[in-house]
Structure formats: C-alpha cells, structure tokens
Coordinates of all heavy atoms in Angstrom, one line a residue:
D1260 N 18.9 -21.0 -43.0 CA 17.8 -20.3 -42.3 C 18.4 -19.1 -41.6 O 19.2 -19.2 -40.7 CB 17.2 -21.3 -41.3 CG 16.1 -20.6 -40.5 OD1 15.5 -19.6 -40.9 OD2 15.7 -21.2 -39.4
P1261 N 17.9 -17.9 -42.0 CA 18.5 -16.7 -41.4 C 18.2 -16.4 -40.0 O 18.8 -15.6 -39.3 CB 17.9 -15.5 -42.3 CG 16.7 -16.1 -42.9 CD 17.0 -17.6 -43.0
L1262 N 17.2 -17.1 -39.4 CA 16.8 -16.9 -38.0 C 17.5 -17.8 -37.1 O 17.5 -17.6 -35.9 CB 15.3 -17.0 -37.9 CG 14.4 -16.0 -38.7 CD1 13.0 -16.3 -38.5 CD2 14.8 -14.6 -38.3
S1263 N 18.2 -18.8 -37.6 CA 18.9 -19.7 -36.7 C 20.4 -19.2 -36.5 O 20.9 -18.4 -37.2 CB 19.0 -21.1 -37.3 OG 19.7 -21.1 -38.5
A1264 N 21.0 -19.7 -35.4 CA 22.4 -19.3 -35.1 C 23.3 -19.9 -36.1 O 23.2 -21.0 -36.6 CB 22.7 -19.8 -33.7
H1265 N 24.4 -19.1 -36.5 CA 25.4 -19.6 -37.4 C 26.7 -19.6 -36.7 O 27.0 -18.9 -35.8 CB 25.5 -18.7 -38.6 CG 24.2 -18.6 -39.4 ND1 24.0 -19.6 -40.4 CD2 23.2 -17.8 -39.4 CE1 22.8 -19.3 -41.0 NE2 22.3 -18.3 -40.4
A1266 N 27.6 -20.5 -37.1 CA 28.9 -20.7 -36.5 C 29.7 -19.4 -36.6 O 30.6 -19.1 -35.8 CB 29.6 -21.9 -37.0
H1267 N 29.5 -18.7 -37.7 CA 30.4 -17.5 -38.0 C 29.7 -16.2 -37.6 O 30.1 -15.1 -38.0 CB 30.7 -17.5 -39.5 CG 29.5 -17.4 -40.4 ND1 28.7 -18.6 -40.6 CD2 28.9 -16.4 -41.0 CE1 27.7 -18.2 -41.4 NE2 27.8 -16.9 -41.6
I1268 N 28.7 -16.2 -36.7 CA 28.0 -15.0 -36.2 C 29.0 -14.0 -35.6 O 28.8 -12.8 -35.8 CB 26.8 -15.4 -35.3 CG1 25.9 -14.1 -35.1 CG2 27.3 -15.8 -34.0 CD1 25.2 -13.8 -36.4
A1269 N 30.0 -14.5 -34.9 CA 31.0 -13.6 -34.3 C 31.7 -12.8 -35.3 O 32.0 -11.6 -35.2 CB 31.9 -14.3 -33.4
D1270 N 32.1 -13.4 -36.4 CA 32.7 -12.7 -37.5 C 31.8 -11.7 -38.2 O 32.3 -10.6 -38.5 CB 33.2 -13.7 -38.6 CG 34.2 -14.7 -38.1 OD1 34.9 -14.4 -37.2 OD2 34.2 -15.8 -38.6
I1271 N 30.6 -12.0 -38.4 CA 29.6 -11.1 -39.0 C 29.4 -9.9 -38.0 O 29.5 -8.7 -38.5 CB 28.3 -11.8 -39.2 CG1 28.4 -12.9 -40.3 CG2 27.2 -10.8 -39.6 CD1 27.2 -13.8 -40.4
E1272 N 29.3 -10.1 -36.8 CA 29.1 -9.0 -35.8 C 30.4 -8.1 -35.8 O 30.3 -6.9 -35.7 CB 28.8 -9.6 -34.4 CG 27.4 -10.1 -34.4 CD 27.1 -10.8 -33.0 OE1 28.1 -11.0 -32.2 OE2 25.9 -11.1 -32.8
A1273 N 31.6 -8.7 -35.9 CA 32.8 -7.9 -35.9 C 32.9 -7.0 -37.1 O 33.3 -5.9 -37.0 CB 34.0 -8.9 -35.8
L1274 N 32.5 -7.6 -38.3 CA 32.5 -6.8 -39.5 C 31.5 -5.6 -39.4 O 31.7 -4.5 -39.8 CB 32.1 -7.6 -40.7 CG 33.2 -8.6 -41.2 CD1 32.7 -9.5 -42.3 CD2 34.4 -7.7 -41.7
M1275 N 30.3 -5.9 -38.8 CA 29.3 -4.8 -38.6 C 29.8 -3.7 -37.7 O 29.6 -2.5 -37.9 CB 28.0 -5.4 -38.2 CG 27.3 -6.2 -39.3 SD 25.8 -7.1 -38.8 CE 24.7 -5.7 -38.6
R1276 N 30.5 -4.1 -36.6 CA 31.1 -3.1 -35.7 C 32.1 -2.3 -36.4 O 32.2 -1.1 -36.2 CB 31.7 -3.8 -34.5 CG 30.7 -4.3 -33.4 CD 31.3 -4.7 -32.1 NE 32.3 -5.7 -32.3 CZ 32.1 -7.0 -32.2 NH1 30.8 -7.5 -32.0 NH2 33.1 -7.9 -32.3
L1277 N 33.0 -2.9 -37.2 CA 34.0 -2.2 -38.0 C 33.3 -1.2 -38.9 O 33.7 0.0 -39.1 CB 34.9 -3.1 -38.8 CG 36.0 -3.8 -38.0 CD1 36.7 -4.8 -38.8 CD2 37.0 -2.8 -37.4
A1278 N 32.2 -1.6 -39.6 CA 31.5 -0.7 -40.5 C 30.9 0.5 -39.8 O 31.0 1.6 -40.2 CB 30.4 -1.5 -41.3
D1279 N 30.4 0.2 -38.6 CA 29.9 1.3 -37.8 C 31.0 2.2 -37.3 O 30.9 3.5 -37.3 CB 29.2 0.8 -36.5 CG 27.8 0.2 -36.9 OD1 27.2 0.5 -37.9 OD2 27.3 -0.6 -36.1
C1280 N 32.1 1.7 -36.9 CA 33.2 2.5 -36.4 C 33.8 3.4 -37.5 O 34.1 4.5 -37.2 CB 34.3 1.5 -35.9 SG 35.8 2.3 -35.3
Y1281 N 33.9 2.9 -38.7 CA 34.5 3.6 -39.8 C 33.4 4.3 -40.7 O 33.7 4.8 -41.7 CB 35.4 2.8 -40.7 CG 36.7 2.4 -39.9 CD1 36.8 1.2 -39.3 CD2 37.7 3.3 -39.8 CE1 38.0 0.9 -38.6 CE2 38.9 3.0 -39.2 CZ 39.0 1.8 -38.6 OH 40.1 1.5 -37.9
Q1282 N 32.2 4.3 -40.2 CA 31.1 5.0 -40.9 C 30.9 4.5 -42.3 O 30.8 5.3 -43.3 CB 31.2 6.5 -40.8 CG 31.2 7.0 -39.4 CD 31.3 8.5 -39.3 OE1 31.5 9.2 -40.3 NE2 31.2 9.0 -38.1
V1283 N 30.9 3.2 -42.5 CA 30.7 2.6 -43.9 C 29.3 2.2 -44.0 O 28.8 1.5 -43.1 CB 31.7 1.4 -44.0 CG1 31.4 0.7 -45.3 CG2 33.1 1.8 -43.9
Y1284 N 28.6 2.5 -45.1 CA 27.3 2.1 -45.2 C 27.2 0.6 -45.4 O 28.0 0.0 -46.1 CB 26.7 2.7 -46.5 CG 26.5 4.2 -46.5 CD1 27.3 5.0 -47.3 CD2 25.6 4.8 -45.6 CE1 27.2 6.4 -47.2 CE2 25.4 6.2 -45.6 CZ 26.2 7.0 -46.4 OH 26.1 8.3 -46.3
H1285 N 26.3 -0.1 -44.6 CA 26.1 -1.5 -44.8 C 24.7 -1.8 -44.6 O 24.0 -1.2 -43.8 CB 27.0 -2.3 -43.8 CG 26.7 -2.1 -42.4 ND1 27.1 -1.0 -41.7 CD2 26.0 -2.9 -41.5 CE1 26.7 -1.0 -40.4 NE2 26.0 -2.2 -40.3
C1286 N 24.2 -2.8 -45.4 CA 22.8 -3.2 -45.3 C 22.8 -4.7 -45.2 O 23.6 -5.4 -45.8 CB 22.1 -2.8 -46.6 SG 22.1 -1.0 -46.8
T1287 N 21.8 -5.2 -44.5 CA 21.8 -6.7 -44.3 C 20.7 -7.3 -45.1 O 20.5 -8.5 -45.0 CB 21.6 -7.0 -42.8 OG1 20.3 -6.3 -42.4 CG2 22.7 -6.5 -42.0
N1288 N 20.0 -6.6 -46.0 CA 19.0 -7.2 -46.8 C 18.8 -6.4 -48.1 O 19.3 -5.2 -48.2 CB 17.7 -7.4 -46.1 CG 17.0 -6.1 -45.7 OD1 16.9 -5.2 -46.5 ND2 16.7 -6.1 -44.4
Y1289 N 18.2 -7.0 -49.1 CA 18.0 -6.3 -50.4 C 17.3 -5.0 -50.3 O 17.7 -4.0 -50.9 CB 17.3 -7.3 -51.3 CG 17.0 -6.6 -52.7 CD1 17.9 -6.6 -53.7 CD2 15.8 -6.0 -52.9 CE1 17.7 -6.0 -54.9 CE2 15.5 -5.4 -54.1 CZ 16.5 -5.4 -55.1 OH 16.2 -4.8 -56.3
R1290 N 16.2 -4.9 -49.6 CA 15.4 -3.7 -49.5 C 16.2 -2.6 -48.9 O 16.1 -1.4 -49.4 CB 14.1 -4.0 -48.7 CG 13.2 -5.0 -49.3 CD 12.4 -4.4 -50.4 NE 11.5 -5.5 -50.9 CZ 10.9 -5.4 -52.0 NH1 11.1 -4.4 -52.8 NH2 10.1 -6.4 -52.4
S1291 N 16.9 -2.8 -47.8 CA 17.7 -1.7 -47.2 C 18.8 -1.3 -48.2 O 19.0 -0.1 -48.4 CB 18.4 -2.2 -46.0 OG 17.4 -2.6 -45.0
A1292 N 19.4 -2.2 -48.9 CA 20.5 -1.8 -49.8 C 19.9 -1.0 -51.0 O 20.5 0.0 -51.4 CB 21.2 -3.1 -50.3
A1293 N 18.8 -1.4 -51.5 CA 18.1 -0.7 -52.6 C 17.8 0.7 -52.2 O 18.0 1.7 -52.9 CB 16.9 -1.4 -53.1
A1294 N 17.3 0.9 -51.0 CA 16.9 2.2 -50.5 C 18.1 3.1 -50.3 O 18.1 4.3 -50.7 CB 16.2 2.1 -49.1
V1295 N 19.2 2.6 -49.7 CA 20.4 3.4 -49.5 C 21.0 3.8 -50.9 O 21.4 4.9 -51.1 CB 21.4 2.6 -48.7 CG1 22.8 3.2 -48.7 CG2 21.0 2.5 -47.3
L1296 N 21.1 2.8 -51.8 CA 21.6 3.1 -53.1 C 20.8 4.1 -53.9 O 21.3 5.0 -54.6 CB 21.8 1.9 -54.0 CG 22.9 1.0 -53.5 CD1 22.9 -0.4 -54.3 CD2 24.3 1.6 -53.7
T1297 N 19.4 4.1 -53.7 CA 18.5 5.0 -54.4 C 18.8 6.4 -53.9 O 18.9 7.4 -54.6 CB 17.1 4.6 -54.2 OG1 16.9 3.3 -54.8 CG2 16.1 5.6 -54.8
V1298 N 18.9 6.6 -52.5 CA 19.1 7.9 -52.0 C 20.5 8.4 -52.4 O 20.6 9.6 -52.8 CB 19.1 7.8 -50.4 CG1 19.6 9.1 -49.8 CG2 17.6 7.5 -50.0
M1299 N 21.5 7.6 -52.4 CA 22.8 8.0 -52.8 C 22.8 8.4 -54.3 O 23.4 9.4 -54.7 CB 23.8 6.9 -52.6 CG 24.1 6.5 -51.2 SD 25.1 5.1 -51.0 CE 26.7 5.6 -51.5
H1300 N 22.1 7.7 -55.2 CA 22.0 8.1 -56.6 C 21.3 9.4 -56.7 O 21.7 10.2 -57.5 CB 21.2 7.0 -57.3 CG 21.1 7.2 -58.8 ND1 22.1 7.3 -59.7 CD2 20.0 7.5 -59.5 CE1 21.7 7.6 -60.9 NE2 20.3 7.7 -60.8
D1301 N 20.2 9.6 -56.0 CA 19.5 10.9 -56.1 C 20.3 12.0 -55.6 O 20.3 13.1 -56.2 CB 18.2 10.8 -55.2 CG 17.1 9.9 -55.8 OD1 17.3 9.5 -57.0 OD2 16.2 9.5 -55.0
R1302 N 21.2 11.8 -54.6 CA 22.1 12.9 -54.2 C 23.1 13.2 -55.2 O 23.5 14.4 -55.4 CB 22.7 12.5 -52.8 CG 21.7 12.6 -51.7 CD 22.4 12.4 -50.4 NE 21.5 12.4 -49.3 CZ 21.8 12.1 -48.1 NH1 23.0 11.8 -47.7 NH2 20.8 12.2 -47.1
L1303 N 23.6 12.2 -55.9 CA 24.6 12.4 -57.0 C 24.0 13.2 -58.1 O 24.6 14.1 -58.7 CB 25.2 11.1 -57.5 CG 26.2 10.5 -56.6 CD1 26.5 9.1 -57.0 CD2 27.5 11.3 -56.5
K1304 N 22.7 12.9 -58.5 CA 22.0 13.6 -59.5 C 21.8 15.0 -59.1 O 22.0 15.9 -59.9 CB 20.7 12.9 -59.8 CG 20.7 11.6 -60.6 CD 19.4 11.2 -61.1 CE 18.3 11.1 -60.1 NZ 17.1 10.5 -60.5
T1305 N 21.5 15.3 -57.9 CA 21.3 16.7 -57.4 C 22.6 17.4 -57.5 O 22.6 18.6 -57.9 CB 20.8 16.7 -55.9 OG1 19.5 16.0 -55.9 CG2 20.6 18.1 -55.4
A1306 N 23.7 16.8 -57.1 CA 25.0 17.4 -57.2 C 25.4 17.7 -58.6 O 26.0 18.8 -58.9 CB 26.0 16.5 -56.5
A1307 N 25.0 16.8 -59.5 CA 25.4 17.1 -60.9 C 24.6 18.3 -61.5 O 25.1 18.9 -62.4 CB 25.1 15.8 -61.7
R1308 N 23.5 18.5 -61.0 CA 22.7 19.7 -61.4 C 23.1 21.0 -60.7 O 22.4 22.0 -60.8 CB 21.2 19.4 -61.2 CG 20.6 18.4 -62.1 CD 19.1 18.3 -62.0 NE 18.6 18.1 -60.7 CZ 18.2 17.0 -60.2 NH1 18.2 15.9 -60.9 NH2 17.8 16.9 -58.9
G1309 N 24.1 20.9 -59.9 CA 24.6 22.1 -59.2 C 24.0 22.3 -57.8 O 24.2 23.3 -57.2
G1310 N 23.4 21.2 -57.3 CA 22.9 21.3 -56.0 C 24.0 21.0 -54.9 O 25.2 20.9 -55.3
V1311 N 23.6 21.0 -53.7 CA 24.6 20.8 -52.6 C 25.1 19.3 -52.7 O 24.3 18.4 -52.7 CB 24.0 21.1 -51.3 CG1 24.9 20.8 -50.1 CG2 23.5 22.5 -51.2
R1312 N 26.4 19.1 -52.7 CA 27.0 17.8 -52.7 C 27.1 17.3 -51.3 O 27.6 17.9 -50.4 CB 28.3 17.8 -53.3 CG 29.0 16.4 -53.3 CD 29.8 16.3 -54.6 NE 30.4 15.0 -54.5 CZ 30.2 14.0 -55.3 NH1 29.3 14.2 -56.3 NH2 30.8 12.9 -55.2
G1313 N 26.6 16.1 -51.1 CA 26.6 15.4 -49.8 C 27.9 14.6 -49.6 O 28.9 14.9 -50.3
S1314 N 27.9 13.6 -48.8 CA 29.1 12.9 -48.5 C 29.2 11.6 -49.4 O 30.0 10.7 -49.2 CB 29.1 12.4 -47.1 OG 28.0 11.5 -46.8
V1315 N 28.5 11.6 -50.5 CA 28.5 10.4 -51.4 C 29.5 10.6 -52.5 O 29.6 11.6 -53.1 CB 27.1 10.3 -52.1 CG1 27.1 9.1 -53.0 CG2 26.0 10.1 -51.0
A1316 N 30.4 9.6 -52.6 CA 31.4 9.6 -53.6 C 31.4 8.3 -54.3 O 31.2 7.3 -53.7 CB 32.8 9.9 -53.0
L1317 N 31.5 8.3 -55.6 CA 31.5 7.1 -56.4 C 32.9 6.4 -56.3 O 33.9 7.0 -56.4 CB 31.3 7.4 -57.9 CG 29.8 7.9 -58.2 CD1 29.8 8.3 -59.7 CD2 28.9 6.8 -58.0
P1318 N 32.8 5.1 -56.2 CA 34.1 4.3 -56.2 C 34.7 4.4 -57.6 O 34.0 4.7 -58.6 CB 33.6 2.9 -56.0 CG 32.3 3.0 -55.4 CD 31.7 4.2 -55.9
E1319 N 36.0 4.1 -57.7 CA 36.7 4.2 -59.0 C 36.1 3.1 -59.9 O 35.7 2.0 -59.5 CB 38.2 3.8 -58.8 CG 39.0 4.9 -58.2 CD 40.4 4.6 -58.1 OE1 40.9 3.9 -59.0 OE2 41.1 5.0 -57.1
G1320 N 35.9 3.5 -61.2 CA 35.4 2.6 -62.2 C 33.8 2.6 -62.3 O 33.3 2.0 -63.1
V1321 N 33.2 3.3 -61.3 CA 31.7 3.3 -61.3 C 31.3 4.7 -61.8 O 31.7 5.7 -61.3 CB 31.1 3.1 -59.9 CG1 29.6 3.2 -59.9 CG2 31.5 1.7 -59.4
T1322 N 30.4 4.8 -62.8 CA 30.0 6.1 -63.4 C 28.6 6.5 -62.9 O 28.3 7.6 -62.9 CB 30.0 6.0 -64.9 OG1 29.1 5.0 -65.3 CG2 31.4 5.8 -65.5
S1323 N 27.9 5.5 -62.4 CA 26.5 5.8 -61.9 C 26.0 4.7 -61.0 O 26.4 3.5 -61.2 CB 25.5 5.9 -63.1 OG 24.2 6.0 -62.6
L1324 N 25.3 5.1 -60.0 CA 24.7 4.1 -59.1 C 23.4 3.6 -59.6 O 22.8 2.7 -59.0 CB 24.5 4.7 -57.7 CG 25.7 5.1 -56.9 CD1 25.4 5.8 -55.6 CD2 26.6 3.9 -56.6
K1325 N 22.9 4.1 -60.7 CA 21.6 3.8 -61.3 C 21.5 2.3 -61.6 O 20.5 1.6 -61.3 CB 21.3 4.6 -62.5 CG 20.0 4.4 -63.1 CD 19.7 5.3 -64.3 CE 18.3 5.1 -64.8 NZ 18.0 5.9 -65.9
E1326 N 22.6 1.7 -62.1 CA 22.6 0.3 -62.4 C 22.4 -0.6 -61.2 O 21.9 -1.7 -61.3 CB 23.9 -0.1 -63.1 CG 25.1 0.1 -62.2 CD 26.4 -0.2 -63.0 OE1 26.9 0.8 -63.6 OE2 26.9 -1.3 -62.9
F1327 N 22.7 -0.1 -60.0 CA 22.5 -0.9 -58.8 C 21.2 -0.7 -58.2 O 20.8 -1.5 -57.3 CB 23.6 -0.5 -57.8 CG 25.0 -0.8 -58.3 CD1 25.8 0.3 -58.7 CD2 25.5 -2.1 -58.4 CE1 27.1 0.1 -59.2 CE2 26.8 -2.3 -58.8 CZ 27.6 -1.2 -59.2
T1328 N 20.4 0.3 -58.6 CA 19.2 0.6 -58.0 C 18.0 0.2 -58.8 O 16.9 0.2 -58.3 CB 19.0 2.1 -57.7 OG1 19.1 2.8 -58.9 CG2 20.1 2.6 -56.8
E1329 N 18.2 -0.2 -60.0 CA 17.1 -0.5 -60.9 C 16.7 -2.0 -61.0 O 15.7 -2.3 -61.7 CB 17.3 0.0 -62.3 CG 17.6 1.5 -62.3 CD 16.8 2.2 -63.3 OE1 16.5 1.6 -64.3 OE2 16.5 3.4 -63.1
D1330 N 17.4 -2.9 -60.3 CA 17.1 -4.3 -60.3 C 15.8 -4.5 -59.6 O 15.7 -4.4 -58.3 CB 18.2 -5.1 -59.7 CG 18.0 -6.6 -59.8 OD1 17.3 -7.0 -60.8 OD2 18.6 -7.3 -59.0
P1331 N 14.7 -4.9 -60.2 CA 13.4 -5.1 -59.5 C 13.5 -6.3 -58.6 O 14.2 -7.3 -58.9 CB 12.4 -5.3 -60.6 CG 13.2 -5.7 -61.8 CD 14.6 -5.1 -61.6
P1332 N 12.9 -6.3 -57.4 CA 12.9 -7.4 -56.5 C 12.4 -8.7 -57.0 O 12.9 -9.8 -56.7 CB 12.0 -6.9 -55.3 CG 11.9 -5.4 -55.5 CD 12.1 -5.1 -56.9
A1333 N 11.4 -8.6 -57.9 CA 10.9 -9.9 -58.5 C 12.0 -10.6 -59.3 O 12.1 -11.8 -59.2 CB 9.7 -9.6 -59.4
A1334 N 12.7 -9.9 -60.1 CA 13.8 -10.5 -60.9 C 14.9 -11.1 -60.0 O 15.4 -12.2 -60.2 CB 14.4 -9.4 -61.8
T1335 N 15.2 -10.4 -58.9 CA 16.2 -11.0 -57.9 C 15.6 -12.3 -57.3 O 16.4 -13.2 -57.1 CB 16.5 -9.9 -56.8 OG1 16.9 -8.7 -57.5 CG2 17.5 -10.4 -55.9
A1336 N 14.3 -12.3 -57.0 CA 13.7 -13.5 -56.4 C 13.8 -14.6 -57.4 O 14.0 -15.8 -57.0 CB 12.3 -13.2 -55.9
E1337 N 13.5 -14.3 -58.6 CA 13.5 -15.4 -59.7 C 15.0 -16.0 -59.8 O 15.1 -17.2 -59.9 CB 13.1 -14.8 -61.0 CG 11.6 -14.5 -61.1 CD 11.2 -13.8 -62.4 OE1 12.0 -13.8 -63.3 OE2 10.1 -13.3 -62.4
V1338 N 16.0 -15.1 -59.8 CA 17.3 -15.6 -59.9 C 17.7 -16.5 -58.7 O 18.3 -17.5 -58.8 CB 18.3 -14.4 -60.0 CG1 19.8 -14.9 -59.9 CG2 18.1 -13.7 -61.4
A1339 N 17.3 -16.0 -57.5 CA 17.5 -16.8 -56.3 C 16.8 -18.1 -56.3 O 17.4 -19.1 -55.9 CB 17.1 -16.0 -55.0
A1340 N 15.6 -18.2 -56.8 CA 14.9 -19.4 -56.9 C 15.6 -20.4 -57.8 O 15.6 -21.6 -57.6 CB 13.4 -19.2 -57.3
V1341 N 16.1 -19.9 -58.9 CA 16.8 -20.8 -59.9 C 18.1 -21.3 -59.3 O 18.4 -22.5 -59.5 CB 17.1 -19.9 -61.2 CG1 18.1 -20.8 -62.1 CG2 15.9 -19.6 -61.9
K1342 N 18.8 -20.6 -58.5 CA 20.0 -21.0 -57.9 C 19.8 -22.1 -56.8 O 20.6 -22.9 -56.5 CB 20.8 -19.9 -57.2 CG 21.4 -19.0 -58.3 CD 22.2 -17.9 -57.6 CE 22.8 -17.0 -58.7 NZ 23.6 -15.9 -58.1
I1343 N 18.6 -22.1 -56.2 CA 18.2 -23.1 -55.2 C 17.9 -24.4 -55.8 O 18.2 -25.3 -56.1 CB 17.0 -22.6 -54.3 CG1 17.4 -21.4 -53.6 CG2 16.6 -23.7 -53.4 CD1 16.3 -20.8 -52.8

C-alpha cells in the first residue's frame, strides 16, 4: 500500500534529498516519469534539428529516449496486473 508507512521510508527520503542536492531528475510515479522523458526527448529532437540544446544529455549506450516514452499506460497496467 503506497499510502501506509514503510520501514525503509528514511532511506527513500535520503535518496530523494541526494537527487535534489545533485539536481538529478527523479519521478515517483509512471505519469511523472513519462512526462519528464517526453520533454527530454523533445528537447533532444530540437537540438538535432539545430535548435538550442538544453541540459539534456543521453547516457552512454542510449541512442534515443523515444523507447522510454512510448510505452502506453494501459500496457504497463496489464503487465503489473499479471505480476500480481
């Protein structure tokens, strides 16, 4: 249950503070992560067309963020339901 207290909540909060401190993008749910990745992908496409490049850089071995932004929520929900 995501609304109940967890024994490892202090560890989670510490990781979130570190992400804030070092300005690392972090999302706590699927919708936020999809939105952030979509914006990052759009900025990379703009940069590839000669637009202004923002602070987005691809990790080594990743050629496009598109593969991470196209997973529909319904498919993710189906996979999660199967695992339960």
Side-chain angles (χ1 to χ4, degrees):
D1260 181 18
L1262 298 178
S1263 64
H1265 295 278
H1267 59 282
I1268 193 70
D1270 296 331
I1271 295 169
E1272 289 173 349
L1274 286 172
M1275 290 177 70
R1276 282 193 303 272
L1277 282 171
D1279 286 339
C1280 180
Y1281 289 100
Q1282 298 179 356
V1283 174
Y1284 294 111
H1285 65 282
C1286 300
T1287 57
N1288 61 52
Y1289 175 83
R1290 297 282 184 197
S1291 298
V1295 167
L1296 289 172
T1297 300
V1298 168
M1299 291 171 74
H1300 179 69
D1301 290 344
R1302 287 185 181 176
L1303 283 171
K1304 286 192 306 188
T1305 301
R1308 290 190 304 261
V1311 177
R1312 178 147 177 114
S1314 62
V1315 178
L1317 289 174
E1319 288 184 31
V1321 176
T1322 57
S1323 171
L1324 294 175
K1325 185 176 182 180
E1326 64 187 85
F1327 299 104
T1328 62
E1329 301 229 334
D1330 185 25
T1335 304
E1337 290 174 13
V1338 170
V1341 170
K1342 289 183 179 180
I1343 295 175

